[in-house]
Amino acid sequence: PSERKLSELFGVGRTYVRDAIKKLEFFGILKPLPQSGTVVTGTDISVLEGLFTNIIKLNKKDFFYLVETRVLLERESARLAALRRTDKDIEDIWKAFYAYEDQVKKNLTGVDQDFNFHLKIAEVSQNPVIKSLMLIVIPDILNAYRKLNVCGEGRYLKSISEHIEIIKMIEKQDGEGAAKMMEKHLHDVLEFSRNTNVII
């Protein structure tokens, strides 16, 4: 929509809308097209990489805290998703899972599909702040994992079974069970970040 329409929609001045658009363009989330307006480029990993590290410079110790924050967000995301999900939400989570599983079975990492699976759970939690924070935090973390091959070949297959267990807990509306399964799923990467010297 135009700046004027966005201004009316959100009830803010056009200056605020213009500033917000410029920030999103800076991070590569929006792209201005001559004579066509501004479009969303996407929300995959490549678009969002660097969003967090462009805001603050991380050192070696901070990387662990960044991953720790991811675990906290994802635990709560899974717990709330289990408590608030609808039947349609379950269908959407399974659809995101199958997209990831398909990539793994093709011997691909499925990084974007894995990212979308976790984002879908955050969306089902019905807490837009959790989803927004995950959009900021996770891409840089996954980029570091990918560069260092943290998951390894066997890890992707293990992730499939763990994803299924998380979905089952959400289906049963077992909030604590979903949170525990998510924590178990992220345990290895948390331990890696605790012992690594990587700077992203």
Side-chain angles (χ1 to χ4, degrees), residues 21 24-26 28-34 36-42:
I21 289 173
L24 292 172
E25 285 176 5
F26 174 78
I29 296 172
L30 296 181
K31 181 179 181 180
L33 298 177
S36 301
T38 303
V39 297
V40 178
T41 58

Side-chain angles (χ1 to χ4, degrees), residues 5-185:
K5 287 183 179 178
L6 287 172
S7 175
E8 293 172 356
L9 178 65
F10 293 109
V12 298
R14 290 181 67 174
T15 301
Y16 290 102
V17 172
R18 196 172 298 117
D19 289 344
I21 289 173
K22 285 180 180 177
K23 287 178 182 177
L24 292 172
E25 285 176 5
F26 174 78
F27 290 118
I29 296 172
L30 296 181
K31 181 179 181 180
L33 298 177
Q35 318 252 325
S36 301
T38 303
V39 297
V40 178
T41 58
T43 55
D44 62 11
I45 298 296
S46 60
V47 171
L48 295 169
E49 278 173 8
L51 181 58
F52 189 78
T53 49
N54 278 328
I55 299 171
I56 64 170
K57 185 65 176 174
L58 295 176
N59 61 37
K60 294 175 184 178
K61 192 174 181 181
D62 289 336
F63 180 63
F64 165 71
Y65 295 132
L66 182 59
V67 178
E68 186 177 52
T69 299
R70 177 197 176 181
V71 175
L72 293 172
L73 288 171
E74 295 237 42
R75 268 184 53 88
E76 188 62 11
S77 171
R79 189 184 73 80
L80 291 175
L83 298 177
R84 298 172 177 175
R85 61 74 166 179
T86 65
D87 290 342
K88 176 64 167 58
D89 290 331
I90 294 297
E91 290 178 17
D92 291 342
I93 293 173
W94 276 113
K95 190 181 296 184
F97 164 75
Y98 290 133
Y100 171 69
E101 183 184 44
D102 181 63
Q103 292 294 298
V104 173
K105 287 183 175 179
K106 292 176 181 175
N107 292 319
L108 301 171
T109 60
V111 173
D112 283 338
Q113 290 75 19
D114 185 44
F115 179 54
N116 288 332
F117 171 79
H118 287 271
L119 274 186
K120 176 54 64 177
I121 292 175
E123 187 177 303
V124 171
S125 78
Q126 298 180 36
N127 185 320
V129 177
I130 288 179
K131 182 179 177 182
S132 296
L133 289 172
M134 284 173 60
L135 279 166
I136 293 172
V137 169
I138 294 179
D140 283 327
I141 296 173
L142 294 185
N143 183 41
Y145 293 161
R146 186 173 54 204
K147 286 179 180 177
L148 298 168
N149 194 28
V150 175
C151 296
E153 293 180 7
R155 179 61 197 164
Y156 294 113
L157 294 174
K158 184 181 177 185
S159 288
I160 288 178
S161 62
E162 291 173 350
H163 283 184
I164 291 171
E165 290 303 314
I166 292 168
I167 299 172
K168 286 181 178 178
M169 290 296 175
I170 294 174
E171 278 184 323
K172 292 195 299 185
Q173 296 186 298
D174 182 349
E176 293 309 311
K180 287 178 181 177
M181 280 308 307
M182 182 64 78
E183 186 173 32
K184 178 183 176 183
H185 174 57

